[in-house]
Amino acid sequence: MARQPKSSKRKKAEREPYDKVLIVCEGEKTEPHYFQEIQSHYQISSLNIMIDGDSGSNPSSVVNHAKALAKKEEKRGSPFDKVYCVVDRDNHPCYDSALEQIKAQKGDVFQSAQSVPSFEYWLLLHFEYTTRGYVSQQGNSVGAQVLSDLKKQEGMSKYDKGEKGIFEKLFDRLETAKTNAARGLVAAERNDTDNPSTHVHLLVEYLQRIKEANE
């Protein structure tokens, strides 16, 4: 008699019935850690979200890596519903062309979550609203200037790129940061400049509500 398969055989894990998301970050640690903490905080299934920081250190490499990962999942028959490219302007000469690449993708799957000058501007908005533009100075890059402003804030004097626990540390200020970021985008459009500005709050809001439609 042929042996029957065990009823206790483990089933293949399946993702939850909400969006499958890819987040590709320019930074290897800071941004991936931040979004991994959001995933954990809002209990987003690890089968529904991929957070990648292995794309390289410029916006174009982020977009190209995101496109490659998205194509791979599409071939497997499990495409992403949203693909977010988290990039900084900083001093990257390819920043504008990278955003154009994202806009050139079909549909609304590909999205950008850019910050000018850097991701730390988003963190700074947890403490204050500012539209002071950042301009490179000899021996003092725009990224270093934002970092300096951030370190002046309460409890952030020892902040370092790649630090873990930043999302939870600043969680009580999150709604303030979202309000400041939205307000900053309005000011940027009015002043015809994106320096400074961030779209990270739009990605954060998306992750906050990703499960709502299926609850």
Side-chain angles (χ1 to χ4, degrees):
M1 181 180 294
R3 180 177 295 178
Q4 297 296 319
K6 294 181 179 180
S7 59
S8 60
K9 187 176 181 180
R10 184 177 298 174
K11 294 182 179 180
K12 182 180 179 180
E14 296 182 356
R15 69 181 181 90
E16 296 296 323
Y18 46 83
D19 285 359
K20 180 178 178 180
V21 187
L22 170 64
I23 301 174
V24 179
C25 305
E26 183 179 316
E28 295 181 4
K29 296 180 179 180
T30 303
E31 292 90 336
H33 288 166
Y34 185 84
F35 291 108
Q36 286 163 4
E37 289 161 22
I38 290 181
Q39 174 192 351
S40 176
H41 183 91
Y42 293 108
Q43 299 181 334
I44 301 171
S45 170
S46 60
L47 297 177
N48 287 65
I49 188 168
M50 179 189 295
I51 301 167
D52 189 287
D54 298 325
S55 62
S57 59
N58 70 70
S60 287
S61 64
V62 169
V63 177
N64 290 333
H65 190 55
K67 289 165 64 177
L69 291 176
K71 187 175 182 179
K72 181 179 179 180
E73 289 301 291
E74 187 174 358
K75 286 184 176 181
R76 291 178 56 195
S78 182
F80 292 105
D81 296 291
K82 293 292 181 184
V83 176
Y84 279 88
C85 298
V86 182
V87 298
D88 295 346
R89 173 180 285 281
D90 216 338
N91 291 314
H92 297 302
C94 63
Y95 174 81
D96 291 326
S97 61
L99 295 188
E100 288 302 319
Q101 285 188 65
I102 295 171
K103 293 177 182 178
Q105 302 304 304
K106 294 181 179 179
D108 63 350
V109 173
F110 274 75
Q111 303 285 330
S112 59
Q114 69 268 33
S115 296
V116 181
S118 66
F119 184 78
E120 277 69 29
Y121 174 67
W122 159 246
L123 302 183
L124 178 61
L125 291 177
H126 288 68
F127 298 91
E128 64 177 356
Y129 171 71
T130 176
T131 59
R132 180 177 70 85
Y134 291 90
V135 180
S136 291
Q137 302 169 359
Q138 187 173 2
N140 192 14
S141 69
V142 289
Q145 292 174 44
V146 180
L147 189 59
S148 176
D149 286 347
L150 178 61
K151 286 187 173 184
K152 294 174 185 176
Q153 308 304 317
E154 181 182 355
M156 299 298 287
S157 62
K158 296 183 179 180
Y159 169 83
D160 191 21
K161 282 182 172 291
E163 183 176 339
K164 293 182 178 181
I166 292 299
F167 175 76
E168 293 297 342
K169 183 175 183 178
L170 300 182
F171 180 75
D172 289 344
R173 301 174 183 265
L174 182 59
E175 295 307 312
T176 295
K178 287 164 56 180
T179 299
N180 286 340
R183 183 181 171 193
L185 286 183
V186 173
E189 183 175 356
R190 182 177 62 246
N191 298 327
D192 195 26
T193 179
D194 61 357
N195 182 13
S197 63
T198 185
H199 289 71
V200 171
H201 64 296
L202 301 177
L203 173 52
V204 171
E205 289 175 343
Y206 169 69
L207 295 175
Q208 286 178 314
R209 65 175 185 267
I210 191 173
K211 297 162 64 175
E212 290 180 357
N214 295 280
E215 289 182 344

